[in-house]
Amino acid sequence: MATHHSVDPSHAAQALRTLDGDRTRLAVAARPPAALMVALGALAAWWVGAAAGTSPGAGYTPPTSSWLAVAAAVGVAYAVRTRTGVRFRRAGARATITAAALVAVCLVLYSVSLALVSAGATWAVALTSLAAFAAVTWLSTVAYRAAADHVARA
Amino acid sequence: MSRAPEPRFDEIIHAPVRLRICGLLRRVDQLEFGLVRQTLDVSAPTLSKHLRTLTEAGYVRLTKSPDATRADARLLTWIHLTPCGTAALDAHLAALREIVGTEH
């Protein structure tokens, strides 16, 4: 059996290099599933679009679709984990910041949608909804890639 | 601030496939069996055999969960490096770095 003293330094160095290579391969293998990222974008578009059915002002009540969207997003996140086969311990600063930006973008677009509805431009909510779809699909992909890259960087 | 691990060569972890399994698990919470097999490019029986050794040593824990994305009843096997396994791996990597003579 190998012992501490019988291991050749070049063999030990090779073992360490192999571990680095494995982490890089893992980051590549754990690609974000495009269909599920699009599903997250569609959920964001649906939520932002729901602003069109509200009455901004003193009598404003948030649409029930907000809770449904959150529940559906949790379901998609679970599906992402199952599909990729990775449960991250830490996503890293870049992924965390990107995820926070994703939430912020949704909130801003929802607020803009409410403002458009109160200004009588309900039709324009289609544009904010479209923007939410594009932004969330892109940002969720970027956040996932950042988390996978964090694994590769030892 | 965490202390650098004391170098300790571990015969169980040192087997190439087992070292690679633990190395992959070190940076994540859990990995699915199929992804580990694909990343390491080893057969399922080979991976199972090494996982059994690591599990018996208390270095790895396996859990099963249903795959909601599939129509059949196949369960997913998730692999998790235990705290004991993490400590053993860190000590083993420190020993390898000591042999190499660098802080890698």
Side-chain angles (χ1 to χ4, degrees):
Chain A
M1 277 174 95
T3 66
H4 182 288
H5 301 290
S6 68
V7 175
D8 185 64
S10 64
H11 173 82
Q14 179 58 44
L16 292 170
R17 276 196 299 274
T18 302
L19 295 186
D20 290 341
D22 285 343
R23 275 194 296 267
T24 304
R25 266 197 300 284
L26 176 67
V28 172
R31 279 188 302 268
L36 293 173
M37 300 295 128
V38 168
L40 278 177
L43 277 173
W46 175 51
W47 181 64
V48 169
T54 62
S55 307
Y60 171 76
T61 50
T64 51
S65 58
S66 298
W67 294 110
L68 287 174
V70 169
V74 170
V76 172
Y78 174 80
V80 168
R81 204 169 62 168
T82 303
R83 185 69 66 82
T84 58
V86 182
R87 291 179 180 172
F88 293 104
R89 181 185 300 138
R90 290 189 202 91
R94 197 154 57 93
T96 306
I97 290 168
T98 309
L102 185 154
V103 173
V105 164
C106 284
L107 291 172
V108 166
L109 287 172
Y110 186 78
S111 300
V112 170
S113 300
L114 289 179
L116 290 169
V117 171
S118 62
T122 306
W123 61 269
V125 172
L127 299 177
T128 53
S129 184
L130 197 62
F133 173 77
V136 170
T137 302
W138 179 65
L139 286 172
S140 58
T141 304
V142 170
Y144 192 90
R145 284 203 179 124
D149 288 346
H150 181 70
V151 170
R153 287 192 307 269
Chain B
M1 214 170 118
S2 60
R3 261 183 31 206
E6 192 71 24
R8 186 167 49 82
F9 197 87
D10 191 302
E11 298 286 357
I12 294 170
I13 287 182
H14 188 62
V17 174
R18 291 200 285 273
L19 177 60
R20 294 176 71 195
I21 293 169
C22 294
L24 280 184
L25 292 167
R26 182 64 182 88
R27 300 279 292 178
V28 297
D29 182 29
Q30 296 180 57
L31 290 175
E32 203 271 319
F33 183 95
L35 182 63
V36 174
R37 192 178 67 74
Q38 179 194 337
T39 306
L40 300 184
D41 195 21
V42 294
S43 68
T46 299
L47 181 56
S48 296
K49 186 186 82 176
H50 288 295
L51 284 176
R52 198 177 313 122
T53 304
L54 289 169
T55 305
E56 284 167 3
Y59 290 172
V60 152
R61 194 176 65 238
L62 304 181
T63 53
K64 303 262 187 188
S65 74
D67 183 354
T69 63
R70 289 173 63 100
D72 59 26
R74 193 186 76 120
L75 293 174
L76 294 175
T77 301
W78 291 91
I79 313 165
H80 170 78
L81 194 64
T82 63
C84 171
T86 302
L89 174 66
D90 288 349
H92 185 73
L93 291 177
L96 289 181
R97 288 183 193 115
E98 193 177 70
I99 293 167
V100 174
T102 67
E103 281 306 306
H104 190 73

